[in-house]
């Protein structure tokens, strides 16, 4: 080979390398003006088989372009994506939706399968960025562990809910006594798994389909399905405006289904969240509790035959209260050290002000009761207080300075264990 030919070959090889380097880029998946759960398809080949669907904010690197398509790697998974939906120049995944491990296994973890098919146990407090969905079962995540390790892999989507203000929603209806269907699929004709009363808080779960069709995938306890979004209230961030009805067992014990706990007992009141079963065997869907030891308990969800339960409230239990202290009541809040201190900005809350009870605490500021429900030992309540054009959240008011619907107080047996 002549020197001229060698020189030409070197130039040709250098051009090829420069061209390949020119294709190297990084950025994020970007869908302008779409729903929060809109995604872009990742395919095996341009216009080929779908590998997964990826959210706005998922970070990619690209090493090749062809006919309006880019060959990308997202969280270790490679494929082809339309270049129209790629925004170059952004190098992190922080804009991708965050996920929250809402339904861990009994050890407080969930399983992550990495791209080499190795299983890892991911603890409940792990920061998750959800990159996309894989089929109808898995989400592809970027998991930030506490030792600063980052893992990429797939987790079961039923274990993970959205975070921020999109984690929970409240079931709503035009009538307090009209339960809403939870369907097996996002289709009004699909089977009804159960019906939930207005006021029930549900988790919004990541899903393979887009909620732009008017349905959201929800979960409460072990029950998961679809509710039309016009029967969901997203404005409260999941804090109940109404507490569903409660009941008591008519007999010393009863067998339940849908929970690892097999029986509940007469001294344990039940929150009736909805209904299920058949006409022959009608069931209540309930929130109950199981004692772990003499001082602590865990919340459980289960089905129980309606015949075993005495429904103790014809209407939902209100969490609305009013300031009763003459001349107004001093507002308090938690400081940075978790101590309860006077809120000098708000000062006195005028008598008669309507407040929304969000949570309850003992004299040391430790949570009492059962989520938002008052029980023995409650000294303080955390409230939402509307004053003028603003609403203030997390304001602490002494329980003794409130008047409230008597239905809010639960029977004394509630705290006797």
């Amino acid at each position: 080979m002549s020197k001229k030919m060698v020189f030409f070959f070197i130039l040709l090889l250098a051009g090829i390398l420069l061209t390949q380097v020119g294709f190297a880029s990084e950025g994020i998946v970007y869908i302008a003006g779409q729903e929060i759960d809109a995604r872009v398809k990742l395919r095996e080949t341009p216009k080929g088989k779908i590998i997964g669907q990826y959210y706005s904010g998922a970070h990619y690197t690209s090493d090749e372009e062809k006919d309006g398509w880019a060959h990308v790697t997202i969280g270790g998974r490679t494929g082809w994506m339309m270049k129209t939906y790629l925004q170059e120049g952004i190098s992190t995944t922080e804009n991708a939706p965050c996920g929250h491990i809402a339904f861990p296994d009994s050890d407080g973890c969930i399983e992550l399968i990495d791209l080499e098919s190795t299983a890892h146990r991911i603890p409940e407090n792990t920061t998750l960025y959800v990159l996309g969905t894989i089929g109808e079962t898995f989400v592809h995540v970027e998991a930030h562990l506490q030792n600063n390790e980052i893992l990429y892999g797939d987790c079961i989507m039923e274990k993970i809910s959205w975070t921020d203000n999109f984690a929970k929603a409240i079931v709503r209806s035009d009538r307090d006594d009209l339960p809403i269907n939870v369907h097996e699929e996002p289709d009004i004709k699909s089977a009804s798994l159960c019906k939930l009363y207005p006021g029930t808080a549900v988790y919004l779960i990541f899903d393979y389909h887009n909620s732009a069709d008017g349905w959201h995938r929800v979960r409460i306890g072990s029950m998961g399905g679809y509710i039309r979004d016009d029967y969901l209230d997203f404005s409260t961030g999941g804090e109940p405006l109404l507490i569903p009805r409660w009941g008591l067992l008519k007999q010393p014990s009863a067998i339940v289904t849908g929970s690892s706990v097999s029986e509940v007992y007469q001294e344990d009141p039940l929150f009736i969240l909805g209904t299920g079963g058949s006409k022959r065997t009608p069931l209540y869907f309930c929130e109950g509790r199981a004692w772990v030891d003499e001082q602590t308990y865990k919340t459980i969800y289960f089905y129980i035959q309606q015949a075993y339960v005495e429904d103790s409230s014809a209407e939902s239990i209100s969490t609305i209260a009013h300031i009763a202290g003459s001349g107004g009541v001093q507002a308090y809040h938690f400081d940075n050290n978790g101590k309860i201190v006077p809120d000098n900005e708000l000062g006195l809350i005028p008598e008669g002000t309507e407040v929304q009870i969000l949570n309850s605490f003992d004299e040391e500021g430790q949570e009492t009761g059962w989520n938002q429900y008052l029980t023995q030992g409650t000294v303080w309540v955390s409230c939402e207080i509307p004053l003028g054009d603003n609403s203030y959240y997390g304001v602490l008011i002494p329980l003794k300075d409130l008047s409230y619907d008597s239905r809010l107080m639960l029977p004394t047996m509630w705290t006797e264990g």
Side-chain angles (χ1 to χ4, degrees):
M1 184 181 294
S2 68
K3 290 183 179 181
K4 183 183 253 185
M5 289 293 293
V6 171
F7 181 69
F8 175 77
F9 178 75
I10 292 173
L11 285 178
L12 180 62
L13 180 61
I16 292 173
L17 290 175
L18 286 172
T19 301
Q20 290 177 339
V21 170
F23 280 127
S25 64
E26 68 174 336
I28 60 171
V29 177
Y30 181 70
I31 313 166
Q34 296 294 314
E35 298 290 328
I36 189 172
D37 59 349
R39 277 149 290 160
V40 178
K41 294 179 176 64
L42 181 71
R43 300 177 182 271
E44 290 183 354
T45 60
K47 301 181 182 181
K49 182 179 178 182
I50 297 172
I51 299 171
Q53 302 183 74
Y54 285 82
Y55 294 100
S56 282
H59 175 253
Y60 75 87
T61 58
S62 176
D63 57 7
E64 185 181 354
E65 295 177 8
K66 180 169 62 176
D67 298 330
W69 292 80
H71 186 253
V72 300
T73 300
I74 303 177
R77 186 170 270 123
T78 60
W80 290 86
M81 190 171 282
M82 292 185 69
K83 191 179 176 184
T84 307
Y85 297 111
L86 301 177
Q87 186 177 63
E88 292 188 15
I90 301 175
S91 59
T92 69
T93 312
E94 293 178 0
N95 292 324
C98 276
H100 168 65
I101 298 176
F103 298 94
D105 298 329
S106 58
D107 63 354
C109 300
I110 64 171
E111 189 169 75
L112 180 149
I113 306 296
D114 67 24
L115 300 184
E116 297 178 352
S117 299
T118 301
H120 305 265
R121 300 299 292 171
I122 305 299
E124 195 170 359
N125 58 1
T126 303
T127 299
L128 296 177
Y129 292 104
V130 179
L131 307 177
T133 57
I134 307 298
E136 299 182 6
T137 306
F138 296 97
V139 286
H140 185 188
V141 303
E142 178 181 308
H144 291 238
L145 305 185
Q146 289 188 328
N147 61 3
N148 295 323
E149 182 183 4
I150 295 178
L151 287 176
Y152 295 99
D154 300 330
C155 300
I156 295 176
M157 59 178 61
E158 285 286 347
K159 300 285 186 179
I160 301 173
S161 84
W162 295 77
T163 52
D164 301 321
N165 294 327
F166 206 59
K168 286 184 179 180
I170 304 298
V171 177
R172 68 180 179 185
S173 173
D174 294 335
R175 288 170 35 196
D176 291 345
D177 62 340
L178 182 64
I180 301 302
N181 279 303
V182 180
H183 290 274
E184 187 173 4
E185 297 293 337
D187 184 342
I188 197 71
K189 296 180 181 179
S190 71
S192 174
L193 301 175
C194 75
K195 300 174 185 284
L196 296 179
Y197 285 115
T200 302
V202 293
Y203 277 95
L204 298 170
I205 302 298
F206 283 89
D207 190 19
Y208 65 92
H209 98 292
N210 192 326
S211 63
D213 64 1
W215 294 83
H216 277 87
R217 190 176 191 177
V218 303
R219 182 173 175 183
I220 178 171
S222 60
M223 192 283 299
Y226 291 89
I227 296 181
R228 284 196 56 82
D229 57 10
D230 46 357
Y231 294 120
L232 293 172
D233 183 355
F234 308 101
S235 63
T236 66
E239 295 290 356
L241 301 178
L242 294 171
I243 301 172
R245 62 190 67 196
W246 56 275
L248 299 171
L249 287 183
K250 294 180 179 179
Q251 58 186 47
S253 67
I255 297 174
V256 301
T257 58
S259 169
S260 58
V261 177
S262 60
E263 287 186 306
V264 292
Y265 298 93
Q266 194 167 13
E267 64 267 24
D268 290 337
L270 317 170
F271 279 109
I272 303 172
L273 304 180
T275 61
S278 63
K279 291 182 178 180
R280 177 173 294 183
T281 311
L283 303 174
Y284 275 135
F285 179 63
C286 295
E287 175 184 336
R289 67 179 179 183
W291 287 97
V292 177
D293 52 46
E294 292 183 356
Q295 270 115 29
T296 59
Y297 55 83
K298 65 179 180 178
T299 300
I300 59 173
Y301 298 92
F302 53 86
Y303 289 97
I304 186 171
Q305 286 193 34
Q306 291 185 19
Y308 297 157
V309 179
E310 179 182 352
D311 190 335
S312 300
S313 62
E315 301 177 9
S316 297
I317 305 172
S318 174
T319 58
I320 297 294
H322 292 84
I323 300 295
S326 178
V329 171
Q330 173 68 51
Y332 294 80
H333 66 260
F334 287 111
D335 66 12
N336 293 332
N337 297 316
K339 301 295 184 182
I340 297 174
V341 297
D343 192 318
N344 295 323
E345 179 184 351
L346 292 179
L348 293 179
I349 306 300
E351 181 180 358
T353 301
E354 184 177 274
V355 303
Q356 171 73 55
I357 297 175
L358 303 177
N359 212 337
S360 58
F361 302 89
D362 63 19
E363 60 184 0
E364 296 180 351
Q366 299 299 311
E367 288 190 19
T368 63
W370 199 347
N371 297 331
Q372 291 77 21
Y373 318 129
L374 303 185
T375 61
Q376 190 175 19
T378 294
V379 174
W380 301 90
V381 291
S382 173
C383 300
E384 174 190 348
I385 300 181
L387 290 176
D389 296 330
N390 299 315
S391 287
Y392 297 87
Y393 295 86
V395 180
L396 296 175
I397 300 293
L399 179 62
K400 63 181 179 61
D401 292 327
L402 291 177
S403 64
Y404 40 84
D405 191 322
S406 60
R407 291 173 300 172
L408 182 63
M409 295 303 293
L410 299 176
T412 48
M413 69 182 69
W414 187 267
T415 57
E416 291 177 356

